[in-house]
mmCIF file of all heavy atoms in Angstrom:
data_model
loop_
_atom_site.group_PDB
_atom_site.id
_atom_site.type_symbol
_atom_site.label_atom_id
_atom_site.label_comp_id
_atom_site.label_asym_id
_atom_site.label_seq_id
_atom_site.Cartn_x
_atom_site.Cartn_y
_atom_site.Cartn_z
ATOM 1 N N SER A 20 15.178 3.377 13.697
ATOM 2 C CA SER A 20 13.792 3.126 13.282
ATOM 3 C C SER A 20 13.660 2.546 11.878
ATOM 4 O O SER A 20 12.553 2.243 11.432
ATOM 5 C CB SER A 20 12.973 4.412 13.387
ATOM 6 O OG SER A 20 13.513 5.409 12.536
ATOM 7 N N ARG A 21 14.765 2.344 11.175
ATOM 8 C CA ARG A 21 14.704 1.758 9.834
ATOM 9 C C ARG A 21 14.428 0.256 9.932
ATOM 10 O O ARG A 21 15.046 -0.435 10.738
ATOM 11 C CB ARG A 21 16.014 1.964 9.077
ATOM 12 C CG ARG A 21 16.348 3.416 8.814
ATOM 13 C CD ARG A 21 17.714 3.565 8.226
ATOM 14 N NE ARG A 21 18.711 3.016 9.165
ATOM 15 C CZ ARG A 21 19.921 2.616 8.807
ATOM 16 N NH1 ARG A 21 20.319 2.690 7.553
ATOM 17 N NH2 ARG A 21 20.758 2.141 9.713
ATOM 18 N N VAL A 22 13.490 -0.206 9.109
ATOM 19 C CA VAL A 22 13.125 -1.625 9.103
ATOM 20 C C VAL A 22 12.895 -2.085 7.667
ATOM 21 O O VAL A 22 12.694 -1.269 6.767
ATOM 22 C CB VAL A 22 11.848 -1.909 9.935
ATOM 23 C CG1 VAL A 22 12.054 -1.561 11.401
ATOM 24 C CG2 VAL A 22 10.638 -1.174 9.367
ATOM 25 N N THR A 23 12.915 -3.396 7.498
ATOM 26 C CA THR A 23 12.474 -4.021 6.255
ATOM 27 C C THR A 23 11.390 -5.017 6.635
ATOM 28 O O THR A 23 11.517 -5.742 7.621
ATOM 29 C CB THR A 23 13.628 -4.740 5.538
ATOM 30 O OG1 THR A 23 14.618 -3.768 5.186
ATOM 31 C CG2 THR A 23 13.162 -5.448 4.289
ATOM 32 N N VAL A 24 10.317 -5.025 5.840
ATOM 33 C CA VAL A 24 9.224 -5.970 6.039
ATOM 34 C C VAL A 24 9.023 -6.717 4.722
ATOM 35 O O VAL A 24 8.893 -6.091 3.672
ATOM 36 C CB VAL A 24 7.915 -5.255 6.438
ATOM 37 C CG1 VAL A 24 6.784 -6.265 6.593
ATOM 38 C CG2 VAL A 24 8.095 -4.440 7.709
ATOM 39 N N VAL A 25 9.029 -8.032 4.792
ATOM 40 C CA VAL A 25 8.726 -8.849 3.615
ATOM 41 C C VAL A 25 7.367 -9.492 3.847
ATOM 42 O O VAL A 25 7.176 -10.227 4.820
ATOM 43 C CB VAL A 25 9.805 -9.919 3.356
ATOM 44 C CG1 VAL A 25 9.408 -10.792 2.169
ATOM 45 C CG2 VAL A 25 11.161 -9.268 3.129
ATOM 46 N N LEU A 26 6.439 -9.175 2.963
ATOM 47 C CA LEU A 26 5.095 -9.742 2.988
ATOM 48 C C LEU A 26 5.025 -10.797 1.900
ATOM 49 O O LEU A 26 5.305 -10.501 0.739
ATOM 50 C CB LEU A 26 4.055 -8.658 2.705
ATOM 51 C CG LEU A 26 4.055 -7.482 3.674
ATOM 52 C CD1 LEU A 26 3.666 -6.217 2.977
ATOM 53 C CD2 LEU A 26 3.123 -7.794 4.816
ATOM 54 N N MET A 27 4.689 -12.039 2.274
ATOM 55 C CA MET A 27 4.639 -13.138 1.304
ATOM 56 C C MET A 27 3.250 -13.734 1.264
ATOM 57 O O MET A 27 2.603 -13.885 2.295
ATOM 58 C CB MET A 27 5.608 -14.254 1.702
ATOM 59 C CG MET A 27 7.040 -13.972 1.406
ATOM 60 S SD MET A 27 8.074 -15.409 1.786
ATOM 61 C CE MET A 27 7.747 -15.672 3.507
ATOM 62 N N ASP A 28 2.835 -14.090 0.085
ATOM 63 C CA ASP A 28 1.600 -14.834 -0.100
ATOM 64 C C ASP A 28 1.894 -16.273 0.313
ATOM 65 O O ASP A 28 2.759 -16.923 -0.288
ATOM 66 C CB ASP A 28 1.171 -14.752 -1.562
ATOM 67 C CG ASP A 28 -0.147 -15.430 -1.830
ATOM 68 O OD1 ASP A 28 -0.483 -16.430 -1.159
ATOM 69 O OD2 ASP A 28 -0.846 -14.959 -2.739
ATOM 70 N N GLN A 29 1.217 -16.775 1.317
ATOM 71 C CA GLN A 29 1.507 -18.122 1.820
ATOM 72 C C GLN A 29 1.151 -19.213 0.820
ATOM 73 O O GLN A 29 1.649 -20.326 0.934
ATOM 74 C CB GLN A 29 0.803 -18.350 3.152
ATOM 75 C CG GLN A 29 1.468 -17.541 4.256
ATOM 76 C CD GLN A 29 0.916 -17.850 5.609
ATOM 77 O OE1 GLN A 29 0.242 -17.041 6.195
ATOM 78 N NE2 GLN A 29 1.201 -19.042 6.098
ATOM 79 N N GLN A 30 0.334 -18.893 -0.170
ATOM 80 C CA GLN A 30 -0.016 -19.869 -1.195
ATOM 81 C C GLN A 30 1.018 -19.891 -2.323
ATOM 82 O O GLN A 30 1.097 -20.853 -3.069
ATOM 83 C CB GLN A 30 -1.397 -19.555 -1.773
ATOM 84 C CG GLN A 30 -2.489 -19.470 -0.738
ATOM 85 C CD GLN A 30 -2.571 -20.685 0.161
ATOM 86 O OE1 GLN A 30 -2.544 -21.814 -0.309
ATOM 87 N NE2 GLN A 30 -2.645 -20.469 1.458
ATOM 88 N N ASP A 31 1.801 -18.816 -2.446
ATOM 89 C CA ASP A 31 2.799 -18.690 -3.515
ATOM 90 C C ASP A 31 3.958 -17.847 -2.994
ATOM 91 O O ASP A 31 3.921 -16.625 -3.055
ATOM 92 C CB ASP A 31 2.174 -18.037 -4.747
ATOM 93 C CG ASP A 31 3.172 -17.824 -5.881
ATOM 94 O OD1 ASP A 31 4.338 -18.269 -5.769
ATOM 95 O OD2 ASP A 31 2.785 -17.194 -6.877
ATOM 96 N N SER A 32 4.989 -18.501 -2.467
ATOM 97 C CA SER A 32 6.091 -17.780 -1.827
ATOM 98 C C SER A 32 6.892 -16.914 -2.794
ATOM 99 O O SER A 32 7.685 -16.077 -2.371
ATOM 100 C CB SER A 32 7.022 -18.742 -1.092
ATOM 101 O OG SER A 32 7.571 -19.673 -1.995
ATOM 102 N N TYR A 33 6.682 -17.074 -4.084
ATOM 103 C CA TYR A 33 7.337 -16.202 -5.054
ATOM 104 C C TYR A 33 6.531 -14.931 -5.292
ATOM 105 O O TYR A 33 6.964 -14.038 -6.016
ATOM 106 C CB TYR A 33 7.580 -16.941 -6.374
ATOM 107 C CG TYR A 33 8.638 -17.999 -6.231
ATOM 108 C CD1 TYR A 33 8.297 -19.333 -6.134
ATOM 109 C CD2 TYR A 33 9.984 -17.652 -6.162
ATOM 110 C CE1 TYR A 33 9.275 -20.307 -5.980
ATOM 111 C CE2 TYR A 33 10.965 -18.611 -6.005
ATOM 112 C CZ TYR A 33 10.604 -19.942 -5.912
ATOM 113 O OH TYR A 33 11.573 -20.903 -5.760
ATOM 114 N N SER A 34 5.369 -14.844 -4.688
ATOM 115 C CA SER A 34 4.541 -13.648 -4.746
ATOM 116 C C SER A 34 4.737 -12.900 -3.428
ATOM 117 O O SER A 34 4.278 -13.337 -2.378
ATOM 118 C CB SER A 34 3.073 -14.036 -4.927
ATOM 119 O OG SER A 34 2.273 -12.886 -4.969
ATOM 120 N N PHE A 35 5.448 -11.784 -3.494
ATOM 121 C CA PHE A 35 5.835 -11.084 -2.270
ATOM 122 C C PHE A 35 6.014 -9.591 -2.554
ATOM 123 O O PHE A 35 6.084 -9.163 -3.699
ATOM 124 C CB PHE A 35 7.157 -11.635 -1.726
ATOM 125 C CG PHE A 35 8.333 -11.272 -2.593
ATOM 126 C CD1 PHE A 35 9.106 -10.147 -2.316
ATOM 127 C CD2 PHE A 35 8.647 -12.022 -3.716
ATOM 128 C CE1 PHE A 35 10.166 -9.800 -3.133
ATOM 129 C CE2 PHE A 35 9.716 -11.678 -4.538
ATOM 130 C CZ PHE A 35 10.471 -10.565 -4.252
ATOM 131 N N VAL A 36 6.105 -8.827 -1.475
ATOM 132 C CA VAL A 36 6.513 -7.429 -1.546
ATOM 133 C C VAL A 36 7.531 -7.204 -0.443
ATOM 134 O O VAL A 36 7.302 -7.596 0.707
ATOM 135 C CB VAL A 36 5.329 -6.452 -1.362
ATOM 136 C CG1 VAL A 36 5.814 -5.010 -1.319
ATOM 137 C CG2 VAL A 36 4.294 -6.638 -2.453
ATOM 138 N N GLU A 37 8.665 -6.615 -0.802
ATOM 139 C CA GLU A 37 9.644 -6.184 0.197
ATOM 140 C C GLU A 37 9.445 -4.694 0.396
ATOM 141 O O GLU A 37 9.412 -3.926 -0.558
ATOM 142 C CB GLU A 37 11.079 -6.433 -0.250
ATOM 143 C CG GLU A 37 12.077 -5.919 0.785
ATOM 144 C CD GLU A 37 13.524 -6.029 0.360
ATOM 145 O OE1 GLU A 37 13.853 -6.926 -0.440
ATOM 146 O OE2 GLU A 37 14.318 -5.212 0.828
ATOM 147 N N VAL A 38 9.310 -4.305 1.650
ATOM 148 C CA VAL A 38 9.118 -2.910 2.015
ATOM 149 C C VAL A 38 10.312 -2.452 2.826
ATOM 150 O O VAL A 38 10.679 -3.096 3.817
ATOM 151 C CB VAL A 38 7.834 -2.740 2.864
ATOM 152 C CG1 VAL A 38 7.753 -1.345 3.456
ATOM 153 C CG2 VAL A 38 6.607 -3.077 2.054
ATOM 154 N N ARG A 39 10.916 -1.376 2.409
ATOM 155 C CA ARG A 39 11.924 -0.711 3.230
ATOM 156 C C ARG A 39 11.243 0.511 3.809
ATOM 157 O O ARG A 39 10.665 1.311 3.084
ATOM 158 C CB ARG A 39 13.130 -0.346 2.386
ATOM 159 C CG ARG A 39 13.812 -1.611 1.899
ATOM 160 C CD ARG A 39 15.001 -1.366 1.071
ATOM 161 N NE ARG A 39 15.426 -2.653 0.513
ATOM 162 C CZ ARG A 39 16.307 -2.764 -0.435
ATOM 163 N NH1 ARG A 39 16.882 -1.701 -0.948
ATOM 164 N NH2 ARG A 39 16.633 -3.957 -0.881
ATOM 165 N N GLY A 40 11.279 0.608 5.120
ATOM 166 C CA GLY A 40 10.504 1.669 5.748
ATOM 167 C C GLY A 40 11.076 2.142 7.054
ATOM 168 O O GLY A 40 12.187 1.779 7.448
ATOM 169 N N THR A 41 10.272 2.950 7.717
ATOM 170 C CA THR A 41 10.655 3.577 8.970
ATOM 171 C C THR A 41 9.496 3.467 9.954
ATOM 172 O O THR A 41 8.350 3.723 9.579
ATOM 173 C CB THR A 41 10.965 5.072 8.739
ATOM 174 O OG1 THR A 41 11.950 5.185 7.711
ATOM 175 C CG2 THR A 41 11.480 5.742 10.005
ATOM 176 N N VAL A 42 9.797 3.084 11.187
ATOM 177 C CA VAL A 42 8.773 3.102 12.232
ATOM 178 C C VAL A 42 8.587 4.570 12.618
ATOM 179 O O VAL A 42 9.494 5.195 13.165
ATOM 180 C CB VAL A 42 9.174 2.246 13.446
ATOM 181 C CG1 VAL A 42 8.139 2.378 14.563
ATOM 182 C CG2 VAL A 42 9.341 0.780 13.044
ATOM 183 N N VAL A 43 7.427 5.112 12.278
ATOM 184 C CA VAL A 43 7.179 6.541 12.486
ATOM 185 C C VAL A 43 6.387 6.827 13.746
ATOM 186 O O VAL A 43 6.307 7.978 14.179
ATOM 187 C CB VAL A 43 6.479 7.178 11.264
ATOM 188 C CG1 VAL A 43 7.409 7.169 10.058
ATOM 189 C CG2 VAL A 43 5.162 6.488 10.948
ATOM 190 N N GLU A 44 5.803 5.776 14.324
ATOM 191 C CA GLU A 44 5.038 5.976 15.560
ATOM 192 C C GLU A 44 4.951 4.655 16.300
ATOM 193 O O GLU A 44 4.859 3.585 15.688
ATOM 194 C CB GLU A 44 3.626 6.480 15.223
ATOM 195 C CG GLU A 44 2.795 6.819 16.430
ATOM 196 C CD GLU A 44 1.418 7.366 16.060
ATOM 197 O OE1 GLU A 44 1.077 7.458 14.869
ATOM 198 O OE2 GLU A 44 0.668 7.681 17.014
ATOM 199 N N THR A 45 4.992 4.737 17.619
ATOM 200 C CA THR A 45 4.717 3.585 18.472
ATOM 201 C C THR A 45 3.569 3.979 19.392
ATOM 202 O O THR A 45 3.494 5.117 19.864
ATOM 203 C CB THR A 45 5.953 3.169 19.301
ATOM 204 O OG1 THR A 45 6.401 4.264 20.091
ATOM 205 C CG2 THR A 45 7.080 2.689 18.385
ATOM 206 N N ILE A 46 2.684 3.033 19.629
ATOM 207 C CA ILE A 46 1.500 3.293 20.447
ATOM 208 C C ILE A 46 1.407 2.203 21.504
ATOM 209 O O ILE A 46 1.405 1.015 21.184
ATOM 210 C CB ILE A 46 0.222 3.296 19.587
ATOM 211 C CG1 ILE A 46 0.320 4.355 18.488
ATOM 212 C CG2 ILE A 46 -1.014 3.507 20.462
ATOM 213 C CD1 ILE A 46 -0.753 4.253 17.430
ATOM 214 N N ARG A 47 1.329 2.619 22.760
ATOM 215 C CA ARG A 47 1.207 1.684 23.879
ATOM 216 C C ARG A 47 -0.182 1.785 24.487
ATOM 217 O O ARG A 47 -1.018 2.523 24.008
ATOM 218 C CB ARG A 47 2.271 2.004 24.936
ATOM 219 C CG ARG A 47 3.692 1.904 24.415
ATOM 220 C CD ARG A 47 4.680 2.265 25.497
ATOM 221 N NE ARG A 47 6.030 2.378 24.977
ATOM 222 C CZ ARG A 47 7.111 2.180 25.708
ATOM 223 N NH1 ARG A 47 7.015 1.883 26.987
ATOM 224 N NH2 ARG A 47 8.302 2.300 25.162
ATOM 225 N N GLY A 48 -0.393 1.058 25.561
ATOM 226 C CA GLY A 48 -1.645 1.177 26.297
ATOM 227 C C GLY A 48 -2.774 0.339 25.727
ATOM 228 O O GLY A 48 -2.550 -0.664 25.041
ATOM 229 N N PRO A 49 -4.029 0.773 25.990
ATOM 230 C CA PRO A 49 -5.202 -0.008 25.584
ATOM 231 C C PRO A 49 -5.273 -0.266 24.080
ATOM 232 O O PRO A 49 -5.712 -1.340 23.656
ATOM 233 C CB PRO A 49 -6.391 0.842 26.045
ATOM 234 C CG PRO A 49 -5.854 1.739 27.100
ATOM 235 C CD PRO A 49 -4.413 1.965 26.761
ATOM 236 N N ASP A 50 -4.850 0.700 23.264
ATOM 237 C CA ASP A 50 -4.885 0.497 21.808
ATOM 238 C C ASP A 50 -3.965 -0.648 21.390
ATOM 239 O O ASP A 50 -4.308 -1.443 20.517
ATOM 240 C CB ASP A 50 -4.502 1.770 21.066
ATOM 241 C CG ASP A 50 -5.570 2.852 21.160
ATOM 242 O OD1 ASP A 50 -6.740 2.526 21.482
ATOM 243 O OD2 ASP A 50 -5.235 4.020 20.920
ATOM 244 N N ALA A 51 -2.786 -0.739 22.012
ATOM 245 C CA ALA A 51 -1.842 -1.816 21.694
ATOM 246 C C ALA A 51 -2.378 -3.163 22.170
ATOM 247 O O ALA A 51 -2.227 -4.179 21.479
ATOM 248 C CB ALA A 51 -0.480 -1.528 22.303
ATOM 249 N N ALA A 52 -3.013 -3.171 23.342
ATOM 250 C CA ALA A 52 -3.604 -4.415 23.847
ATOM 251 C C ALA A 52 -4.727 -4.887 22.924
ATOM 252 O O ALA A 52 -4.833 -6.077 22.620
ATOM 253 C CB ALA A 52 -4.121 -4.212 25.267
ATOM 254 N N GLN A 53 -5.554 -3.957 22.445
ATOM 255 C CA GLN A 53 -6.636 -4.318 21.528
ATOM 256 C C GLN A 53 -6.077 -4.789 20.191
ATOM 257 O O GLN A 53 -6.591 -5.723 19.577
ATOM 258 C CB GLN A 53 -7.593 -3.149 21.317
ATOM 259 C CG GLN A 53 -8.781 -3.495 20.437
ATOM 260 C CD GLN A 53 -9.625 -4.629 21.022
ATOM 261 O OE1 GLN A 53 -10.051 -4.555 22.179
ATOM 262 N NE2 GLN A 53 -9.855 -5.672 20.247
ATOM 263 N N SER A 54 -4.998 -4.161 19.737
ATOM 264 C CA SER A 54 -4.375 -4.526 18.463
ATOM 265 C C SER A 54 -3.923 -5.984 18.454
ATOM 266 O O SER A 54 -4.147 -6.702 17.475
ATOM 267 C CB SER A 54 -3.181 -3.604 18.184
ATOM 268 O OG SER A 54 -2.414 -4.061 17.110
ATOM 269 N N ILE A 55 -3.287 -6.449 19.540
ATOM 270 C CA ILE A 55 -2.825 -7.839 19.554
ATOM 271 C C ILE A 55 -4.016 -8.795 19.608
ATOM 272 O O ILE A 55 -3.968 -9.885 19.025
ATOM 273 C CB ILE A 55 -1.800 -8.118 20.689
ATOM 274 C CG1 ILE A 55 -1.060 -9.438 20.416
ATOM 275 C CG2 ILE A 55 -2.439 -8.129 22.061
ATOM 276 C CD1 ILE A 55 -0.252 -9.480 19.149
ATOM 277 N N GLU A 56 -5.095 -8.386 20.250
ATOM 278 C CA GLU A 56 -6.308 -9.211 20.252
ATOM 279 C C GLU A 56 -6.878 -9.320 18.837
ATOM 280 O O GLU A 56 -7.231 -10.407 18.382
ATOM 281 C CB GLU A 56 -7.370 -8.634 21.200
ATOM 282 C CG GLU A 56 -7.049 -8.796 22.656
ATOM 283 C CD GLU A 56 -6.950 -10.253 23.107
ATOM 284 O OE1 GLU A 56 -7.690 -11.131 22.586
ATOM 285 O OE2 GLU A 56 -6.123 -10.529 23.986
ATOM 286 N N ASP A 57 -6.961 -8.182 18.142
ATOM 287 C CA ASP A 57 -7.467 -8.184 16.765
ATOM 288 C C ASP A 57 -6.601 -9.062 15.862
ATOM 289 O O ASP A 57 -7.116 -9.829 15.044
ATOM 290 C CB ASP A 57 -7.512 -6.755 16.217
ATOM 291 C CG ASP A 57 -8.518 -5.868 16.932
ATOM 292 O OD1 ASP A 57 -9.393 -6.386 17.662
ATOM 293 O OD2 ASP A 57 -8.414 -4.624 16.769
ATOM 294 N N LEU A 58 -5.278 -8.937 16.010
ATOM 295 C CA LEU A 58 -4.372 -9.755 15.204
ATOM 296 C C LEU A 58 -4.532 -11.235 15.524
ATOM 297 O O LEU A 58 -4.516 -12.082 14.630
ATOM 298 C CB LEU A 58 -2.921 -9.309 15.411
ATOM 299 C CG LEU A 58 -2.522 -8.022 14.708
ATOM 300 C CD1 LEU A 58 -1.202 -7.492 15.270
ATOM 301 C CD2 LEU A 58 -2.418 -8.228 13.208
ATOM 302 N N SER A 59 -4.703 -11.562 16.801
ATOM 303 C CA SER A 59 -4.868 -12.959 17.191
ATOM 304 C C SER A 59 -6.131 -13.556 16.567
ATOM 305 O O SER A 59 -6.097 -14.673 16.043
ATOM 306 C CB SER A 59 -4.917 -13.091 18.714
ATOM 307 O OG SER A 59 -4.988 -14.454 19.076
#
């Protein structure tokens, strides 16, 4: 469950945050389907 996420400002690629973290929960079903719609 260990992951790294790099978040970059698309206007300035030198402006970023690297996150070292852990996936602590996974959620399936209607909430996950709604989540991808919201992200889209």
Side-chain angles (χ1 to χ4, degrees):
S20 61
R21 297 173 300 158
V22 297
T23 298
V24 178
V25 177
L26 301 147
M27 283 185 301
D28 183 328
Q29 288 187 250
Q30 305 307 313
D31 178 5
S32 60
Y33 290 103
S34 179
F35 70 95
V36 175
E37 178 185 332
V38 170
R39 294 180 188 168
T41 305
V42 175
V43 294
E44 185 178 2
T45 57
I46 301 168
R47 300 179 189 207
D50 289 341
Q53 183 60 53
S54 169
I55 196 62
E56 288 298 326
D57 294 345
L58 284 165
S59 184

